[in-house]
Amino acid sequence: MKNAKTFRVILSYAVLCLVAVVMAGPFVWMVFSSVKPNEDLFAHPPVWFPQRVTGEHFRAAFAHTNLPRYFLNSLIVAGVATVTNVLFGSLAGFAFARLEFPGRDVIFFAILGTMMVPIHVTVVPLFILAKRFPLAGGNNILGVGGTGLIDTYGGLLFPYLITAFGVFMTRQFFASLPRELDDAARIDGCSDFGIFAKICLPLSRPVIATLSIFTFTNVWDDFLWPLVIINRDEMRTVQLGLQVFQSQFSVDWGPLMAATLMVTVPVLIVFILGQDYFVEGIATTGMKG
Amino acid sequence: MSRHKRGNLNGYLFIAPVFIYITITAFIPMIMSLYLSFTDYNMLQPPKWCGLYNYKDLLGKDGKMWVAMRNTLIYAIEVLPLNIFCSLGLAILVNKNLPGMTFFRTTYYLPVVTSMVAASMIWMWIYDTDMGLLNNILSLFGVEPIEWLTSPDMALHSLAIMRVWKGIGWNMVIYLAGLQGIPRHLYEAAMIDGASRWQQFANVTWPMLRPVTYYVLTMGLISTFQTFTEIYSMTRGGPLDSTTTIGYQIYKMAFDYMEMGKASALAFVLFVIIFTLSIINVKFFSSRVDSEV
Amino acid sequence: MKRVFTVIAAVVVMLSLTSIGYAKGTTINLWFAGTEAPFMKTVNEEILPLFRRAYPNIDLVVTFVPWGDLSTKLGTAFAAKLPPDVFMHGQAATAGFAANQSIEPLDKYIAKMPDAKDFGPTIDSGAYMGKRYMLPMNGAGRLLIYRADFFREAGLDPNRPPTTWEELRAAAIAQTIRQGNRIVREGLDIPTQGIDAQQIYSNFLWQNGGDFISQDGKKAIFNSKEGVEALQFIVDLIYKDKCTNTQEERPLGNVQPIASGKVAMQFAVPNDIKLIEVYSPDVYTQIRVAPPLMNKEQVALYSYSGLFMAKDSKNKDAAWEVMQFMTSPAVLGKICESLGMLPPRQSLKSAPFIAKDYRIQAYVEGMAYGRGNPNVPAWVKVRDILATYIEKAAFGVMSPQDALDKAAAECNAALAGK
């Protein structure tokens, strides 16, 4: 019995390590490439481990772009969007999962449907709406005359503040919580909001963490929307900044890898922080309490 | 009765901010696109109404849309089950309370944060026929070089493998959150009944994860059916159109050919397909646990 | 260096004289295509300060747009009726914008330009229906490049590059290395997909005396006898001479296939040469550039990018000043150097950055034989259709004649706006 368990643990670790190599390989290559001199980057046969280490690519990344400013912009946009999505998304997700009201499922599927049209066709209408936004960027109340949300944080945030994605995710998780919880709370005289805030939310910390991680990652990584809504350099986001190293015919791999690596760090930090809420047994203690 | 009414009102109140905001940023653009799908629109001139012309043109004899549809279907069929299987498996593995799990979870999330440019670069190198890593390894076993990305019979499958690699980490996180929500006492009860590990999975884990799997599958449908990025950065639809997907074609029509009307029409054909599939999905998933999906 | 400085100073003085009289705070939005670091650095650190000194009254907002996303960004901007006053694009974009009255014809401005002659024939590269819409900024040609060491290995003289199809074929066969049925080194790389396939085919088509589209822009004529022969020549290289294959030989990272030795000859643009210099310096010394090939005509594909003015620009005169400044000899020279592209001005043909490398010089000399793709509104679509069928012929799925006939039928529909 004991032996079988040890064997299972060893087997688990063996599988975990093997998968880790495959999953992390390209990322590790990125890390190595960021410190290899140009001539070694694509040596043939390939040199996996850097033979010579250089900081030139990191220097170049900073010299050619206004990276600190791009970081600030991306942090503001991704940070704000994460908070609003968690707040409003979970509220709506709760209502769709656990409250009864006429038209509930129709409205839900309509919201779900908005994700099914590719961005490449909705980007033009969305851009026109952002430009016609009333009383912004010199526009009058009818949205005419100025540049609207173009080149503003409002413009960058426009499609991200609340997304169908967050609603859908929280709904699915709230749906999986046992119904008896609500009924017990209702008998105790708890309001709907009370059930949401005092019962469901505390039980859903892994979900809130997941939604935060995903929203942050999505907004941080998005390229197309910042591309169309931003013209001025000081409003660019990190993903636009990375374009500097890609040109018509080629890619400047060293600085690109260095910059990409730096751009990846905040997303990884958010992921690692979010993981603290993935502690087995939260649900259990919640149930018993 | 009054209680029920209050429930109604609260429901609308809770979804109001979301509903209003999504109406502005998603419904209205969508309705505008739907209108454009009935027009001849090149973004330079005002749209000209052309009725069902775009739809007739796409669904008619124009061969490329059907080729793209076929490729998209094959891609989704290959990517989705494999992704769900792998991500659930990994989630169960890293859900254990063993040392080092934070490290493994983070490692599995790395492909998600690895930029697509960097990822496609390294996969092109892995897949390269003459100097690629994969063929080098295979040659040790005496396998002849395989044209992973340059053969019309292989390219789509090679891209599917890469897509699974890139997407597992994402779904693993969702399943991880789902696993955490399963009350421990259900397993304890199962163990008292003498259920084997497999029975525990089949009778507790899998049914409890239904809403999560519905989510994973639906989001998977939405994203694989719109596949664009890896096609654009790795194969540009070739060789011989073997990797041309609907998402890639919509992009080409919209911004290469400036045929926004036709691109919108294709987008709504795609919309109908995805929507239908996700409704079928509901029926399938709610066969046992009503109203929970 | 001193001379360059004098020229810049002269331009600054001249332009500052003409700039008097603009309303204070005229804003001009300029979108450059391309985000290469050296290019952006040159513009931001050298050219913009010069401009601001010369035109204190024009608030010039420069945005650098990646080439791959240029049409997305322009499309949305035009759709929202907020296009940039001036934007850079390739000559192939001219017809689409011009046919929809979205860009301003430049003839009346060019007529007043004192040194318009300096552009030579390149000033017509953005012409559509007899009007000129583009002020050229830089160009690229697709010429055959080869390696002196591989030439010697195969017993060929590196100082005598192939000049005709037959010599090309012979050189390709001689340099091909096989292992069993597999080609280890292709004598000549022929791209079989997308833009590359179409561009290489255009070289052969023109060299054989053929052309793509009839003079009136309404009919595809590449399925002529000349066109079919050109495609047959490519297909024969693959299946008869077996000196190339259907595989796309894309650069691995920044290592061009010719630098890694996967191919012995390829058709390259000047930028490829620059990459070989940076990433494969030891191979670079072996690289040679052949002049445009000839079968019935000596010709090669050269295409230019330049500046366009939006029809909706509210400050056209100021916009023109910006265009003129950016294409003035000193500024243009700096921009082309930073991009590693060919300058469209005759006076820059012997600029130091060109004179120092005989390879780039070969590209500049080849400009005299340059020809551009046709300017028709549906060009991108026509190009893609053609590329699809070239690929079918290259993969042996269709015969060259059938492929080009089908392509021509589809292109005719596209040209008719269907």
Short mmCIF file of all heavy atoms in Angstrom, two decimals, chain C residues 41-92:
data_model
loop_
_atom_site.label_atom_id
_atom_site.label_comp_id
_atom_site.label_asym_id
_atom_site.label_seq_id
_atom_site.Cartn_x
_atom_site.Cartn_y
_atom_site.Cartn_z
N LYS C 41 14.71 55.71 -35.09
CA LYS C 41 15.71 56.52 -34.40
C LYS C 41 16.12 57.70 -35.28
O LYS C 41 16.19 58.85 -34.82
CB LYS C 41 16.92 55.63 -34.10
CG LYS C 41 17.88 56.17 -33.07
CD LYS C 41 18.98 55.12 -32.85
CE LYS C 41 20.25 55.73 -32.31
NZ LYS C 41 20.27 55.94 -30.89
N THR C 42 16.38 57.42 -36.56
CA THR C 42 16.78 58.49 -37.47
C THR C 42 15.69 59.55 -37.57
O THR C 42 15.98 60.75 -37.50
CB THR C 42 17.04 57.90 -38.88
OG1 THR C 42 17.99 56.85 -38.75
CG2 THR C 42 17.58 58.95 -39.83
N VAL C 43 14.46 59.11 -37.72
CA VAL C 43 13.36 60.07 -37.85
C VAL C 43 13.21 60.88 -36.57
O VAL C 43 13.16 62.11 -36.60
CB VAL C 43 12.04 59.35 -38.20
CG1 VAL C 43 10.86 60.31 -38.12
CG2 VAL C 43 12.13 58.74 -39.59
N ASN C 44 13.16 60.17 -35.43
CA ASN C 44 12.90 60.88 -34.17
C ASN C 44 14.04 61.79 -33.75
O ASN C 44 13.82 62.88 -33.24
CB ASN C 44 12.63 59.87 -33.04
CG ASN C 44 11.25 59.26 -33.18
OD1 ASN C 44 10.33 59.90 -33.72
ND2 ASN C 44 11.10 58.03 -32.72
N GLU C 45 15.28 61.30 -33.94
CA GLU C 45 16.39 62.05 -33.37
C GLU C 45 17.04 63.02 -34.35
O GLU C 45 17.65 63.99 -33.93
CB GLU C 45 17.44 61.08 -32.82
CG GLU C 45 16.95 60.43 -31.54
CD GLU C 45 17.85 59.30 -31.07
OE1 GLU C 45 19.01 59.24 -31.52
OE2 GLU C 45 17.37 58.48 -30.28
N GLU C 46 16.94 62.76 -35.65
CA GLU C 46 17.60 63.66 -36.59
C GLU C 46 16.62 64.46 -37.42
O GLU C 46 16.74 65.68 -37.55
CB GLU C 46 18.51 62.85 -37.52
CG GLU C 46 19.65 62.16 -36.78
CD GLU C 46 20.55 61.42 -37.75
OE1 GLU C 46 21.01 62.05 -38.71
OE2 GLU C 46 20.75 60.22 -37.53
N ILE C 47 15.64 63.76 -37.99
CA ILE C 47 14.80 64.44 -38.98
C ILE C 47 13.74 65.33 -38.34
O ILE C 47 13.54 66.47 -38.75
CB ILE C 47 14.18 63.38 -39.92
CG1 ILE C 47 15.32 62.75 -40.71
CG2 ILE C 47 13.15 64.00 -40.84
CD1 ILE C 47 14.98 61.53 -41.47
N LEU C 48 13.09 64.85 -37.30
CA LEU C 48 12.04 65.66 -36.68
C LEU C 48 12.56 66.96 -36.07
O LEU C 48 11.95 68.01 -36.25
CB LEU C 48 11.25 64.84 -35.65
CG LEU C 48 10.29 63.81 -36.27
CD1 LEU C 48 9.49 63.11 -35.20
CD2 LEU C 48 9.37 64.48 -37.29
N PRO C 49 13.70 66.94 -35.37
CA PRO C 49 14.23 68.23 -34.87
C PRO C 49 14.48 69.22 -36.01
O PRO C 49 14.15 70.41 -35.90
CB PRO C 49 15.54 67.84 -34.19
CG PRO C 49 15.36 66.41 -33.80
CD PRO C 49 14.49 65.81 -34.86
N LEU C 50 15.02 68.70 -37.12
CA LEU C 50 15.24 69.57 -38.29
C LEU C 50 13.91 70.15 -38.76
O LEU C 50 13.80 71.35 -39.05
CB LEU C 50 15.82 68.75 -39.45
CG LEU C 50 17.33 68.56 -39.50
CD1 LEU C 50 17.69 67.73 -40.72
CD2 LEU C 50 18.01 69.91 -39.56
N PHE C 51 12.92 69.29 -38.82
CA PHE C 51 11.62 69.74 -39.30
C PHE C 51 11.03 70.80 -38.39
O PHE C 51 10.50 71.81 -38.84
CB PHE C 51 10.65 68.55 -39.41
CG PHE C 51 9.30 68.95 -39.95
CD1 PHE C 51 9.08 69.00 -41.31
CD2 PHE C 51 8.27 69.33 -39.10
CE1 PHE C 51 7.86 69.41 -41.83
CE2 PHE C 51 7.05 69.73 -39.60
CZ PHE C 51 6.84 69.78 -40.97
N ARG C 52 11.13 70.57 -37.10
CA ARG C 52 10.53 71.52 -36.16
C ARG C 52 11.20 72.88 -36.25
O ARG C 52 10.55 73.91 -36.09
CB ARG C 52 10.62 70.96 -34.74
CG ARG C 52 9.73 69.76 -34.60
CD ARG C 52 9.35 69.41 -33.19
NE ARG C 52 8.51 68.21 -33.27
CZ ARG C 52 8.91 66.99 -32.92
NH1 ARG C 52 10.12 66.80 -32.42
NH2 ARG C 52 8.10 65.96 -33.05
N ARG C 53 12.50 72.86 -36.49
CA ARG C 53 13.19 74.13 -36.63
C ARG C 53 12.73 74.83 -37.90
O ARG C 53 12.51 76.03 -37.93
CB ARG C 53 14.70 73.90 -36.67
CG ARG C 53 15.41 74.63 -35.52
CD ARG C 53 16.85 74.22 -35.43
NE ARG C 53 16.98 72.82 -34.98
CZ ARG C 53 17.96 72.01 -35.34
NH1 ARG C 53 18.89 72.42 -36.18
NH2 ARG C 53 18.01 70.79 -34.87
N ALA C 54 12.56 74.04 -38.97
CA ALA C 54 12.19 74.64 -40.25
C ALA C 54 10.72 75.07 -40.28
O ALA C 54 10.38 76.06 -40.91
CB ALA C 54 12.47 73.65 -41.38
N TYR C 55 9.87 74.31 -39.60
CA TYR C 55 8.44 74.62 -39.64
C TYR C 55 7.88 74.73 -38.22
O TYR C 55 7.15 73.86 -37.77
CB TYR C 55 7.66 73.52 -40.37
CG TYR C 55 7.99 73.39 -41.82
CD1 TYR C 55 8.98 72.52 -42.25
CD2 TYR C 55 7.29 74.14 -42.77
CE1 TYR C 55 9.29 72.40 -43.59
CE2 TYR C 55 7.60 74.01 -44.11
CZ TYR C 55 8.60 73.14 -44.51
OH TYR C 55 8.89 73.02 -45.83
N PRO C 56 8.21 75.80 -37.52
CA PRO C 56 7.73 75.91 -36.14
C PRO C 56 6.19 75.96 -36.06
O PRO C 56 5.62 75.69 -35.02
CB PRO C 56 8.36 77.20 -35.63
CG PRO C 56 8.85 77.93 -36.83
CD PRO C 56 9.03 76.95 -37.93
N ASN C 57 5.56 76.30 -37.17
CA ASN C 57 4.10 76.45 -37.13
C ASN C 57 3.34 75.16 -37.41
O ASN C 57 2.14 75.12 -37.31
CB ASN C 57 3.65 77.51 -38.13
CG ASN C 57 4.11 78.88 -37.69
OD1 ASN C 57 4.27 79.12 -36.50
ND2 ASN C 57 4.35 79.74 -38.65
N ILE C 58 4.07 74.14 -37.86
CA ILE C 58 3.38 72.88 -38.12
C ILE C 58 3.65 71.91 -36.98
O ILE C 58 4.81 71.62 -36.66
CB ILE C 58 3.84 72.26 -39.46
CG1 ILE C 58 3.50 73.20 -40.62
CG2 ILE C 58 3.15 70.90 -39.68
CD1 ILE C 58 3.91 72.68 -41.98
N ASP C 59 2.58 71.47 -36.36
CA ASP C 59 2.72 70.46 -35.31
C ASP C 59 2.63 69.09 -35.99
O ASP C 59 1.55 68.62 -36.31
CB ASP C 59 1.60 70.66 -34.28
CG ASP C 59 1.62 69.57 -33.22
OD1 ASP C 59 2.68 68.94 -33.04
OD2 ASP C 59 0.56 69.33 -32.60
N LEU C 60 3.78 68.50 -36.21
CA LEU C 60 3.83 67.24 -36.95
C LEU C 60 3.76 66.06 -35.99
O LEU C 60 4.65 65.90 -35.15
CB LEU C 60 5.11 67.17 -37.79
CG LEU C 60 5.29 65.92 -38.65
CD1 LEU C 60 4.19 65.79 -39.69
CD2 LEU C 60 6.65 65.94 -39.33
N VAL C 61 2.71 65.26 -36.09
CA VAL C 61 2.58 64.07 -35.23
C VAL C 61 2.91 62.85 -36.08
O VAL C 61 2.17 62.52 -37.01
CB VAL C 61 1.16 63.95 -34.66
CG1 VAL C 61 1.05 62.74 -33.75
CG2 VAL C 61 0.77 65.22 -33.92
N VAL C 62 4.02 62.21 -35.75
CA VAL C 62 4.45 61.06 -36.55
C VAL C 62 4.07 59.77 -35.83
O VAL C 62 4.33 59.61 -34.64
CB VAL C 62 5.97 61.11 -36.78
CG1 VAL C 62 6.45 59.82 -37.45
CG2 VAL C 62 6.33 62.30 -37.63
N THR C 63 3.45 58.87 -36.55
CA THR C 63 3.12 57.54 -36.01
C THR C 63 3.79 56.50 -36.89
O THR C 63 3.75 56.61 -38.12
CB THR C 63 1.59 57.32 -36.05
OG1 THR C 63 0.95 58.37 -35.36
CG2 THR C 63 1.22 56.00 -35.41
N PHE C 64 4.43 55.54 -36.26
CA PHE C 64 5.06 54.46 -37.03
C PHE C 64 4.14 53.24 -36.99
O PHE C 64 3.83 52.74 -35.91
CB PHE C 64 6.42 54.10 -36.44
CG PHE C 64 7.41 55.24 -36.50
CD1 PHE C 64 7.50 56.16 -35.46
CD2 PHE C 64 8.23 55.41 -37.60
CE1 PHE C 64 8.40 57.20 -35.51
CE2 PHE C 64 9.13 56.46 -37.66
CZ PHE C 64 9.22 57.36 -36.61
N VAL C 65 3.71 52.80 -38.13
CA VAL C 65 2.78 51.67 -38.19
C VAL C 65 3.52 50.47 -38.76
O VAL C 65 4.17 50.58 -39.80
CB VAL C 65 1.57 52.01 -39.08
CG1 VAL C 65 0.54 50.89 -39.04
CG2 VAL C 65 0.94 53.32 -38.66
N PRO C 66 3.41 49.29 -38.10
CA PRO C 66 4.06 48.10 -38.66
C PRO C 66 3.47 47.80 -40.05
O PRO C 66 2.26 47.93 -40.24
CB PRO C 66 3.68 46.99 -37.68
CG PRO C 66 3.13 47.66 -36.47
CD PRO C 66 2.69 49.02 -36.86
N TRP C 67 4.32 47.40 -40.97
CA TRP C 67 3.84 47.10 -42.33
C TRP C 67 2.68 46.12 -42.33
O TRP C 67 1.70 46.30 -43.04
CB TRP C 67 4.98 46.53 -43.18
CG TRP C 67 5.74 47.56 -43.93
CD1 TRP C 67 7.00 48.01 -43.64
CD2 TRP C 67 5.31 48.30 -45.09
NE1 TRP C 67 7.36 48.98 -44.54
CE2 TRP C 67 6.36 49.17 -45.44
CE3 TRP C 67 4.15 48.30 -45.86
CZ2 TRP C 67 6.28 50.03 -46.54
CZ3 TRP C 67 4.07 49.16 -46.94
CH2 TRP C 67 5.13 50.01 -47.27
N GLY C 68 2.82 45.09 -41.50
CA GLY C 68 1.79 44.05 -41.50
C GLY C 68 0.43 44.55 -41.03
O GLY C 68 -0.57 43.91 -41.29
N ASP C 69 0.39 45.65 -40.33
CA ASP C 69 -0.88 46.15 -39.80
C ASP C 69 -1.30 47.46 -40.44
O ASP C 69 -2.24 48.10 -40.00
CB ASP C 69 -0.77 46.34 -38.29
CG ASP C 69 -0.34 45.07 -37.61
OD1 ASP C 69 -1.13 44.13 -37.61
OD2 ASP C 69 0.80 45.01 -37.13
N LEU C 70 -0.58 47.84 -41.49
CA LEU C 70 -0.85 49.14 -42.11
C LEU C 70 -2.26 49.20 -42.68
O LEU C 70 -2.98 50.17 -42.47
CB LEU C 70 0.19 49.39 -43.21
CG LEU C 70 0.15 50.75 -43.87
CD1 LEU C 70 0.37 51.85 -42.85
CD2 LEU C 70 1.22 50.86 -44.96
N SER C 71 -2.68 48.13 -43.38
CA SER C 71 -4.00 48.21 -44.00
C SER C 71 -5.11 48.19 -42.95
O SER C 71 -6.14 48.81 -43.12
CB SER C 71 -4.19 47.10 -45.03
OG SER C 71 -3.82 45.88 -44.50
N THR C 72 -4.88 47.48 -41.84
CA THR C 72 -5.88 47.47 -40.77
C THR C 72 -6.04 48.87 -40.20
O THR C 72 -7.15 49.37 -40.02
CB THR C 72 -5.44 46.51 -39.65
OG1 THR C 72 -5.02 45.29 -40.23
CG2 THR C 72 -6.58 46.26 -38.69
N LYS C 73 -4.92 49.49 -39.93
CA LYS C 73 -4.96 50.81 -39.30
C LYS C 73 -5.52 51.86 -40.27
O LYS C 73 -6.34 52.69 -39.89
CB LYS C 73 -3.55 51.18 -38.83
CG LYS C 73 -3.48 52.51 -38.13
CD LYS C 73 -2.74 52.44 -36.81
CE LYS C 73 -2.51 53.84 -36.27
NZ LYS C 73 -3.29 54.15 -35.09
N LEU C 74 -5.10 51.80 -41.52
CA LEU C 74 -5.62 52.76 -42.50
C LEU C 74 -7.10 52.52 -42.77
O LEU C 74 -7.89 53.47 -42.86
CB LEU C 74 -4.84 52.65 -43.81
CG LEU C 74 -3.50 53.38 -43.86
CD1 LEU C 74 -2.76 53.03 -45.13
CD2 LEU C 74 -3.69 54.89 -43.77
N GLY C 75 -7.48 51.24 -42.87
CA GLY C 75 -8.88 50.91 -43.13
C GLY C 75 -9.80 51.48 -42.07
O GLY C 75 -10.79 52.15 -42.37
N THR C 76 -9.46 51.25 -40.79
CA THR C 76 -10.32 51.76 -39.72
C THR C 76 -10.31 53.28 -39.72
O THR C 76 -11.35 53.91 -39.52
CB THR C 76 -9.88 51.24 -38.34
OG1 THR C 76 -8.47 51.36 -38.24
CG2 THR C 76 -10.27 49.81 -38.13
N ALA C 77 -9.15 53.89 -39.95
CA ALA C 77 -9.07 55.35 -39.93
C ALA C 77 -9.91 55.96 -41.04
O ALA C 77 -10.66 56.91 -40.82
CB ALA C 77 -7.62 55.80 -40.05
N PHE C 78 -9.82 55.41 -42.24
CA PHE C 78 -10.62 55.94 -43.35
C PHE C 78 -12.10 55.70 -43.09
O PHE C 78 -12.93 56.56 -43.38
CB PHE C 78 -10.20 55.31 -44.68
CG PHE C 78 -9.08 56.06 -45.37
CD1 PHE C 78 -7.78 55.60 -45.33
CD2 PHE C 78 -9.34 57.25 -46.05
CE1 PHE C 78 -6.76 56.30 -45.95
CE2 PHE C 78 -8.32 57.95 -46.67
CZ PHE C 78 -7.03 57.48 -46.62
N ALA C 79 -12.44 54.53 -42.54
CA ALA C 79 -13.84 54.23 -42.26
C ALA C 79 -14.42 55.25 -41.29
O ALA C 79 -15.57 55.64 -41.39
CB ALA C 79 -13.98 52.82 -41.71
N ALA C 80 -13.61 55.68 -40.32
CA ALA C 80 -14.09 56.65 -39.32
C ALA C 80 -13.92 58.08 -39.81
O ALA C 80 -14.12 59.02 -39.06
CB ALA C 80 -13.35 56.44 -38.01
N LYS C 81 -13.53 58.23 -41.06
CA LYS C 81 -13.31 59.55 -41.66
C LYS C 81 -12.29 60.38 -40.88
O LYS C 81 -12.46 61.57 -40.67
CB LYS C 81 -14.63 60.32 -41.77
CG LYS C 81 -15.69 59.56 -42.54
CD LYS C 81 -16.60 60.49 -43.32
CE LYS C 81 -17.62 59.75 -44.15
NZ LYS C 81 -17.37 58.32 -44.39
N LEU C 82 -11.26 59.70 -40.43
CA LEU C 82 -10.22 60.40 -39.70
C LEU C 82 -8.85 59.90 -40.16
O LEU C 82 -8.04 59.46 -39.35
CB LEU C 82 -10.39 60.15 -38.19
CG LEU C 82 -9.87 61.23 -37.25
CD1 LEU C 82 -10.70 62.47 -37.37
CD2 LEU C 82 -9.88 60.72 -35.83
N PRO C 83 -8.61 59.98 -41.48
CA PRO C 83 -7.34 59.46 -41.96
C PRO C 83 -6.20 60.43 -41.63
O PRO C 83 -6.46 61.60 -41.40
CB PRO C 83 -7.55 59.38 -43.48
CG PRO C 83 -8.54 60.44 -43.78
CD PRO C 83 -9.43 60.55 -42.57
N PRO C 84 -4.97 59.93 -41.62
CA PRO C 84 -3.84 60.85 -41.43
C PRO C 84 -3.74 61.75 -42.66
O PRO C 84 -4.16 61.37 -43.75
CB PRO C 84 -2.65 59.90 -41.35
CG PRO C 84 -3.08 58.67 -42.08
CD PRO C 84 -4.55 58.56 -41.85
N ASP C 85 -3.18 62.94 -42.47
CA ASP C 85 -3.03 63.85 -43.62
C ASP C 85 -2.10 63.24 -44.66
O ASP C 85 -2.34 63.32 -45.86
CB ASP C 85 -2.45 65.18 -43.15
CG ASP C 85 -3.35 65.84 -42.13
OD1 ASP C 85 -4.26 66.57 -42.53
OD2 ASP C 85 -3.15 65.60 -40.91
N VAL C 86 -1.01 62.66 -44.16
CA VAL C 86 -0.02 62.07 -45.05
C VAL C 86 0.28 60.66 -44.55
O VAL C 86 0.41 60.46 -43.34
CB VAL C 86 1.29 62.89 -45.06
CG1 VAL C 86 2.30 62.27 -46.00
CG2 VAL C 86 1.01 64.33 -45.43
N PHE C 87 0.34 59.69 -45.46
CA PHE C 87 0.75 58.35 -45.02
C PHE C 87 1.65 57.70 -46.04
O PHE C 87 1.63 58.02 -47.22
CB PHE C 87 -0.46 57.47 -44.72
CG PHE C 87 -1.36 57.20 -45.89
CD1 PHE C 87 -1.17 56.09 -46.71
CD2 PHE C 87 -2.41 58.06 -46.18
CE1 PHE C 87 -2.00 55.84 -47.79
CE2 PHE C 87 -3.26 57.83 -47.26
CZ PHE C 87 -3.05 56.71 -48.06
N MET C 88 2.45 56.77 -45.55
CA MET C 88 3.36 56.03 -46.42
C MET C 88 2.74 54.69 -46.75
O MET C 88 2.10 54.07 -45.91
CB MET C 88 4.68 55.84 -45.67
CG MET C 88 5.75 55.11 -46.43
SD MET C 88 7.26 55.20 -45.41
CE MET C 88 8.13 53.79 -46.03
N HIS C 89 2.90 54.27 -47.98
CA HIS C 89 2.39 52.96 -48.38
C HIS C 89 3.16 52.52 -49.62
O HIS C 89 3.89 53.30 -50.21
CB HIS C 89 0.89 53.06 -48.69
CG HIS C 89 0.14 51.78 -48.39
ND1 HIS C 89 0.54 50.56 -48.86
CD2 HIS C 89 -0.99 51.55 -47.68
CE1 HIS C 89 -0.31 49.63 -48.43
NE2 HIS C 89 -1.24 50.20 -47.71
N GLY C 90 2.95 51.28 -50.00
CA GLY C 90 3.59 50.78 -51.22
C GLY C 90 2.84 51.26 -52.44
O GLY C 90 1.66 51.60 -52.37
N GLN C 91 3.52 51.27 -53.58
CA GLN C 91 2.88 51.76 -54.80
C GLN C 91 1.65 50.94 -55.18
O GLN C 91 0.72 51.46 -55.79
CB GLN C 91 3.87 51.76 -55.96
CG GLN C 91 4.37 50.37 -56.36
CD GLN C 91 5.33 50.43 -57.52
OE1 GLN C 91 6.46 50.88 -57.37
NE2 GLN C 91 4.89 50.01 -58.69
N ALA C 92 1.63 49.67 -54.78
CA ALA C 92 0.51 48.81 -55.14
C ALA C 92 -0.81 49.29 -54.51
O ALA C 92 -1.89 48.90 -54.94
CB ALA C 92 0.79 47.37 -54.69
#
